[in-house]
Amino acid sequence: MAPTKLLLGLLVVLLASARAASVSLPALPLSTSSRWVVGADGRRVKLACANWASHLEPVAAEGLSRRGVGDIAARVAEMGFNCVRLTWPTYLATNATLSSLPLRWSLERLGLRESAAGVRVNNPGLLDLPLIDVFREVVSALANNSIMVILDNQITTPGWCCSRTDGNTFFGDKYFDPEEWLKGLSAMATMFRNTKNVVGMSLRNELRGPYQNVSLWYRYMQQGAEAVHAANPNVLVILSGLDFDNTLSFLSPNKVELSFTGKLVFEQHWYGFSDGTDWENWNQNDACGVSVQSIRTKGLFLLQQGWPLFFSEIGFDMSGTHTADNRYLTCFLSVAAEMDLDWAVWALQGSYYIREGILAFDETYGLLSWDWSTARNPSFIKRVNSLQSPFQGPGLPNSQKPYNAIFHLLTGLCVLVKSGNSLKLGPCDESSAWNYTSTSELVLKHTGQCIEAKSVGNTAKLGACFSKSCSKWQLISNSSMHVSTELTKNGTRVCLDAGPDGAITTNQCKCLSQDPSCNPESQWFKVILSSRSIPAEASVLQLPSLGVWPAASSSPL
Ligand SMILES: *[C@@H]1O[C@H](CO)[C@@H](O)[C@H](O)[C@H]1NC(C)=O
Ligand SMILES: *[C@@H]1O[C@H](CO)[C@@H](O)[C@H](O)[C@H]1NC(C)=O
Ligand SMILES: *[C@@H]1O[C@H](CO)[C@@H](O)[C@H](O)[C@H]1NC(C)=O
Ligand SMILES: *[C@@H]1O[C@H](CO)[C@@H](O)[C@H](O)[C@H]1NC(C)=O
Ligand SMILES: *[C@@H]1O[C@H](CO)[C@@H](O)[C@H](O)[C@H]1NC(C)=O
Ligand SMILES: *[C@@H]1O[C@H](CO)[C@@H](O)[C@H](O)[C@H]1NC(C)=O
């Protein structure tokens, strides 16, 4: 090896270990505190996960033929996720013939010789391990990268999930024997009893189909939760709703009754295709407004009732060319920001060994590219970065005194004040601390200054709130994401708008008519609560102007 190469290699190793050292698992085990998932130290732990499929016919985590398992796990952490929802079929836990099958044979019996050759190159140590040990190694590789794992019972029989006719739909269906399912849950919970990074179990994915029955849901889900808890009291038990986990509305009147507390979480799924053709055919403000209302009655209400709700599958075509998916995604992000959701993207895998009979099936929803070498959509990773860590919840620096951040959906950035009192987008960790007051003013805390609209097309500025001239801001349109005011001068309505350079201006409001082709996203903001620390600059920056306005009357605190 040439010396420069050696040096480079050393640098890479050093950087890698620095990165590994900088992230660590939260204080485990996890539990729940009202709607929050918290660590053993009582601090909020926000689940920001990627789904990693391991339930298809080969019964092995996808991608082992493409990359080293450690590389894949490191990639999950690099993309900012702290958790993986790892799927498994019941048979992996209940069929010893299957679970003891070496990975090589499992691939070869399906004719997947190239995949087996790929595993030999990229994961030689896994090739001749029994499938159950391969599964454990994946969990271990994730642990080595401080990634939490939620074990998701996706299906009974290995294969792509989920349809109305696959025999895996609901208790009592052809392949869905409740007794076998309970046995599988117990076995899996027991197997990982001493594996710290396994923090939760999704009891069954996407219940659905003609056998659905609410009273059976209560009977079996309660039994499943008790079985898991008896075998492993450390894991969160996560319960899926009905109709492909699109609805939990039946929980509104009837609670789940369990012998234990502090471990119960519900999960909900939301994809663009669940809303039919609304996303393409409707005005974007209307489509998002209606869809969020429906998500609220189907599941979000649980948060208000003090239950944790995990959006365990959200997903979209990562190519960026699918209009409906793009619109759905922005709308999902608005809910994720507003409610500070725990969430999991479908999916990590860029491709499958085989899916629905197609070799090397391309996962267009995959975080990784088809060959697992790069991020399929790097801008998505940037956009969701601020939604991967908590804004709210126990243990944050300003939990007792949250402020408002003004979150811009399109960029994932927040509104902050820059020199000259103009406004721009920046990282949410550097967000200015705003207060959206009961009198509809957007006040910069501790300064008594507020956001003012001067004219159409100009930058929005920070001005003196104390006078009558302070702009009153309403959240308008059916999405409620336009931050809008009327110019004091002549009553023209304007909306906050972010330019490509991040400058915040006040422009004519977009897409308030029913036009379905119009894109309002540069003007979509959510005024959210944040308990993150307020960077010194955010409050100090404005101090010079304090001289102009008497501190006593301008500072609300
Ligand atoms: C167990 O798995 C093996 C290997 O896939 C399969 O041949 C067998 O039919 C399974 N047994 C049951 C009871 O499903
Ligand atoms: C995880 O780290 C341990 C200790 O360094 C190592 O022995 C083990 O092989 C790693 N596991 C995987 C799957 O990489
Ligand atoms: C649901 O299951 C219960 C218990 O088996 C049964 O009594 C009831 O009739 C079922 N309801 C429906 C709508 O099938
Ligand atoms: C959007 O809002 C307008 C009035 O604000 C209302 O008339 C219209 O029905 C709404 N559209 C939808 C789809 O809810
Ligand atoms: C805004 O200010 C009011 C009045 O001082 C205070 O009651 C409220 O908690 C503040 N809200 C936020 C989010 O800062
Ligand atoms: C109000 O003033 C703005 C300039 O700030 C101008 O663009 C707009 O046309 C005016 N509107 C009316 C109704 O006069």
Side-chain angles (χ1 to χ4, degrees):
M1 205 189 254
T4 47
K5 264 198 178 162
L6 193 71
L7 268 178
L8 266 178
L10 199 66
L11 195 64
V12 168
V13 169
L14 282 174
L15 284 175
S17 56
R19 194 178 55 229
S22 68
V23 222
S24 54
L25 285 166
L28 299 172
L30 302 183
S31 60
T32 66
S33 170
S34 75
R35 63 149 287 193
W36 309 109
V37 172
V38 296
D41 55 4
R43 300 162 85 91
R44 165 107 196 258
V45 174
K46 177 164 175 166
L47 301 173
C49 319
N51 281 276
W52 189 356
S54 183
H55 68 277
L56 277 73
E57 286 84 350
V59 199
E62 301 294 336
L64 300 177
S65 58
R66 308 265 181 195
R67 296 278 139 185
V69 65
D71 286 355
I72 299 172
R75 192 52 85 81
V76 174
E78 257 169 57
M79 291 189 290
F81 295 97
N82 63 9
C83 133
V84 157
R85 182 171 177 260
L86 183 64
T87 67
W88 58 282
T90 305
Y91 284 178
L92 177 63
T94 59
N95 180 336
T97 314
L98 180 66
S99 64
S100 62
L101 196 64
L103 175 56
R104 180 207 301 263
W105 293 4
S106 185
L107 292 168
E108 287 182 355
R109 80 197 155 118
L110 297 163
L112 303 173
R113 281 174 203 287
E114 276 189 43
S115 292
V119 175
R120 188 203 312 281
V121 171
N122 290 298
N123 289 290
L126 301 186
L127 188 62
D128 291 306
L129 288 187
L131 293 176
I132 191 63
D133 291 343
V134 173
F135 192 83
R136 286 179 164 150
E137 285 296 300
V138 169
V139 171
S140 154
L142 291 166
N144 287 358
N145 287 275
S146 301
I147 301 288
M148 295 179 280
V149 173
I150 290 167
L151 302 174
D152 167 59
N153 179 242
Q154 179 88 188
I155 192 165
T156 306
T157 52
W160 180 245
C161 186
C162 302
S163 86
R164 288 172 202 280
T165 54
D166 59 13
N168 281 276
T169 62
F170 195 80
F171 305 103
D173 200 356
K174 187 166 176 198
Y175 302 115
F176 198 167
D177 170 17
E179 289 309 314
E180 179 163 36
W181 173 73
L182 289 171
K183 218 174 95 191
L185 288 179
S186 294
M188 218 58 169
T190 304
M191 189 179 310
F192 290 99
R193 190 165 42 197
N194 297 314
T195 308
K196 269 205 124 179
N197 69 316
V198 172
V199 298
M201 287 181 64
S202 276
L203 299 197
R204 182 70 167 198
N205 189 64
E206 297 196 355
L207 296 160
R208 60 192 176 277
Y211 292 88
Q212 287 193 127
N213 174 318
V214 170
S215 67
L216 292 181
W217 185 94
Y218 281 93
R219 180 196 297 174
Y220 292 124
M221 286 309 223
Q222 284 166 191
Q223 285 180 14
E226 295 291 349
V228 165
H229 189 73
N232 182 347
N234 288 331
V235 289
L236 300 173
V237 294
I238 308 174
L239 308 190
S240 155
L242 297 171
D243 292 338
F244 294 85
D245 202 9
N246 278 308
T247 185
L248 292 137
S249 54
F250 59 91
L251 283 166
S252 183
N254 297 308
K255 299 290 154 270
V256 172
E257 303 211 347
L258 299 174
S259 66
F260 57 92
T261 56
K263 292 286 177 184
L264 178 60
V265 174
F266 295 101
E267 61 183 317
Q268 184 172 5
H269 292 179
W270 183 14
Y271 288 102
F273 55 73
S274 325
D275 302 312
T277 56
D278 294 0
W279 293 109
E280 267 165 286
N281 296 345
W282 290 12
N283 169 277
Q284 207 172 334
N285 283 306
D286 294 350
C288 183
V290 167
S291 186
V292 170
Q293 192 46 44
S294 143
I295 290 296
R296 218 178 279 287
T297 57
K298 286 174 171 172
L300 279 181
F301 70 92
L302 288 164
L303 292 173
Q304 266 122 22
Q305 292 185 355
W307 297 102
L309 175 67
F310 172 39
F311 273 74
S312 58
E313 286 187 25
I314 66 102
F316 65 101
D317 184 328
M318 294 252 173
S319 70
T321 60
H322 194 294
T323 304
D325 272 6
N326 295 346
R327 293 177 171 190
Y328 141 84
L329 173 66
T330 308
C331 191
F332 163 73
L333 295 178
S334 77
V335 178
E338 179 175 30
M339 310 303 290
D340 202 9
L341 296 179
D342 297 289
W343 60 287
V345 65
W346 185 277
L348 175 64
Q349 59 270 7
S351 56
Y352 300 84
Y353 305 110
I354 186 169
R355 175 177 143 183
E356 297 168 285
I358 297 169
L359 286 175
F361 188 105
D362 185 34
E363 175 54 276
T364 55
Y365 286 30
L367 285 166
L368 297 175
S369 56
W370 176 81
D371 63 2
W372 294 63
S373 66
T374 60
R376 198 176 274 263
N377 184 341
S379 68
F380 171 70
I381 314 289
K382 278 197 204 143
R383 190 177 177 192
V384 296
N385 182 260
S386 63
L387 297 174
Q388 290 171 318
S389 50
F391 278 105
Q392 300 176 54
L396 268 77
N398 287 296
S399 290
Q400 301 310 315
K401 246 189 243 175
Y403 57 90
N404 288 126
I406 308 172
F407 185 81
H408 186 244
L409 280 309
L410 186 58
T411 54
L413 298 173
C414 287
V415 175
L416 42 103
V417 179
K418 71 172 185 188
S419 53
N421 281 351
S422 56
L423 304 176
K424 65 161 186 183
L425 294 176
C428 290
D429 281 346
E430 296 166 22
S431 170
S432 300
W434 302 102
N435 185 338
Y436 183 43
T437 67
S438 53
T439 52
S440 305
E441 289 162 2
L442 281 166
V443 179
L444 184 66
K445 279 187 146 180
H446 311 298
T447 70
Q449 290 174 296
C450 65
I451 301 181
E452 281 205 83
K454 293 275 191 234
S455 61
V456 181
N458 257 357
T459 51
K461 292 242 175 182
L462 207 59
C465 192
F466 158 88
S467 66
K468 283 197 293 280
S469 72
C470 200
S471 300
K472 308 280 187 188
W473 298 92
Q474 283 89 39
L475 307 177
I476 65 160
S477 89
N478 288 350
S479 68
S480 307
M481 284 196 274
H482 289 275
V483 182
S484 172
T485 190
E486 284 176 5
L487 296 179
T488 43
K489 186 164 55 182
N490 63 11
T492 300
R493 182 160 284 287
V494 292
C495 282
L496 289 185
D497 201 343
D501 58 353
I504 304 293
T505 54
T506 48
N507 281 329
Q508 203 169 29
C509 301
K510 291 177 174 175
C511 316
L512 298 187
S513 73
Q514 291 176 348
D515 181 359
S517 63
C518 176
N519 185 337
E521 292 184 10
S522 71
Q523 296 187 342
W524 273 8
F525 295 88
K526 268 283 171 195
V527 179
I528 63 174
L529 281 174
S530 175
S531 302
R532 291 185 186 177
S533 62
I534 304 171
E537 315 88 75
S539 45
V540 171
L541 187 69
Q542 296 309 313
L543 283 180
S545 52
L546 271 182
V548 181
W549 306 105
S553 59
S554 63
S555 173
L557 293 168

